[in-house]
Amino acid sequence: MKNKAYITKTSSFLPNSAVSNDQMEDILGCVAGKPSRAKKIVLKQNKIHTRYYVLDPKTREQQFTNAQLSALAIKKLEDENFSIKDINCLSTSTSLVEQLMPNHGVMVHGELSNPCCEVVTTAGICLSGLTALKYSYLGVLSGDYKNAVASASEMLSPSLKAENYNNEIEEKIEKLEERPILAFEKDFLRWMLSDGAGSVLIQSSPKDSGVSLEIDWIDLYSYANELETCMYCGADKNIETGRLDGWASFDQSARSSKSLMAIKQDVKLLNENMLKYGITSLEKSIAKHKFRCEDVDYFLPHLSSYYFKDQCVKGLHEANLDLPESKWFINLSKVGNVGAASIYLMIDELVNTKDLKDGQKILCFVPESGRFSYGFMMLTVVKK
């Protein structure tokens, strides 16, 4: 009999209280002491109303570590049927690690203090959350583990504080009014990114009552062979040549003057390629698994901003892919862009707010602009 793998429990952890648009700059600070001229324009485009930060709203001090965020989400998986003491495999992910060594996963394991188990961390940006989930999924599917926990966490707000940026941002702001995509390189990310964590428990059989999600398949695609770097941190990019030079290539002074540790994005490259390669990837998965978009009941796309939603809807329609807005489930406006954890937060909210029916299909989509990678996951609702 073929082994199967099911998501039997989901969880989320969002630090502190929701931060409104009016509170953001009080917490993150003003670059060069000046209020951002991009903020209102970017917020109008991304349509995010609230997000979460590990920073204390009054002192601006960090209240959680990245590992703690993930551990707190994982602990919420516990119930009368499952204890973190029973974890066979722990796979973790994050876009921006707190330390280069040791790896994020063992830091999470240390926070949990659960018994010895296999621990792995997948690297990347937004897609790392899905790659961690795939590692756990394949481990259960192969029979290596009876259970596995996958998690993703982001602690981005400390890196978004005004102290980490320089005046070069202001030179790009005037371009926003004419064409908003052009000036997104640095400042726009400060008004989009959010902190938080999500986790799932994967087991070899569905739970005895309630909703489980059978993992049908997970596909991952990279187009780094065709496209240059788009989103990066800890490096400097030559926009003309596409060359990326890592932080170790610069002395301390240059790292500061170039704000190497600020997250950046080549948004011209993003706008030209993100949707096109996403459609191509979906078509590959359709051909591979022989499914029809019209049979999908819920579509969970990870969007960095609502700015891209209309383009995505239009692109799907033009490609004759039947995934209308009526099937979409997004919580971006409430939780912000939580990077690798976003897909976990969407799945958790979907399970806990929708009356899912046995046999329904859920298609998850995670694009990553780092060097253009994409992931799709198909889930089938199992309800007892």
Side-chain angles (χ1 to χ4, degrees), residues 20 132 378:
S20 69
M378 185 70 83

Side-chain angles (χ1 to χ4, degrees), residues 282 296-301 312 316 323-324 327-330 361-365 376:
L282 178 55
V296 171
D297 297 284
Y298 289 99
F299 179 49
L300 277 57
C312 191
L316 289 167
L323 290 169
K327 295 184 177 183
W328 288 39
F329 183 88
I330 311 173
K361 293 289 186 179
I362 302 167
L363 179 63
C364 303
F365 170 44
F376 289 91

Side-chain angles (χ1 to χ4, degrees), residues 297-339:
D297 297 284
Y298 289 99
F299 179 49
L300 277 57
H302 165 50
L303 297 179
S304 61
S305 165
Y306 273 94
Y307 175 86
F308 299 107
K309 183 179 179 182
D310 290 343
Q311 297 178 41
C312 191
V313 171
K314 181 181 178 182
L316 289 167
H317 177 72
E318 291 176 348
N320 294 315
L321 299 173
D322 187 20
L323 290 169
E325 287 185 75
S326 59
K327 295 184 177 183
W328 288 39
F329 183 88
I330 311 173
N331 57 7
L332 176 69
S333 64
K334 295 184 293 184
V335 302
N337 178 0
V338 202

Side-chain angles (χ1 to χ4, degrees), residues 172-189:
K172 298 179 172 66
I173 303 306
E174 294 179 2
K175 298 179 181 179
L176 275 168
E177 293 286 0
E178 182 179 349
R179 190 174 176 221
I181 195 71
L182 288 178
F184 275 17
E185 182 182 301
K186 288 184 183 177
D187 200 35
F188 92 111
L189 290 168

Side-chain angles (χ1 to χ4, degrees), residues 232-238 243-261 264:
Y232 51 102
C233 177
D236 187 54
K237 180 180 178 181
N238 184 316
R243 176 186 171 90
L244 199 70
D245 293 312
W247 63 271
S249 302
F250 300 89
D251 60 28
Q252 187 172 351
S253 175
R255 291 172 200 162
S256 177
S257 65
K258 291 179 176 291
S259 53
L260 290 189
M261 302 315 294
K264 311 173 190 70

Side-chain angles (χ1 to χ4, degrees), residues 20-32:
S20 69
N21 290 347
D22 292 336
Q23 297 173 291
M24 297 178 71
E25 206 154 27
D26 290 336
I27 299 174
L28 298 181
C30 297
V31 174

Side-chain angles (χ1 to χ4, degrees), residues 286 290-296 322 327 378:
I286 290 172
K290 312 298 182 187
F291 73 92
R292 302 187 309 166
C293 286
E294 49 264 42
D295 293 332
V296 171
D322 187 20
K327 295 184 177 183
M378 185 70 83

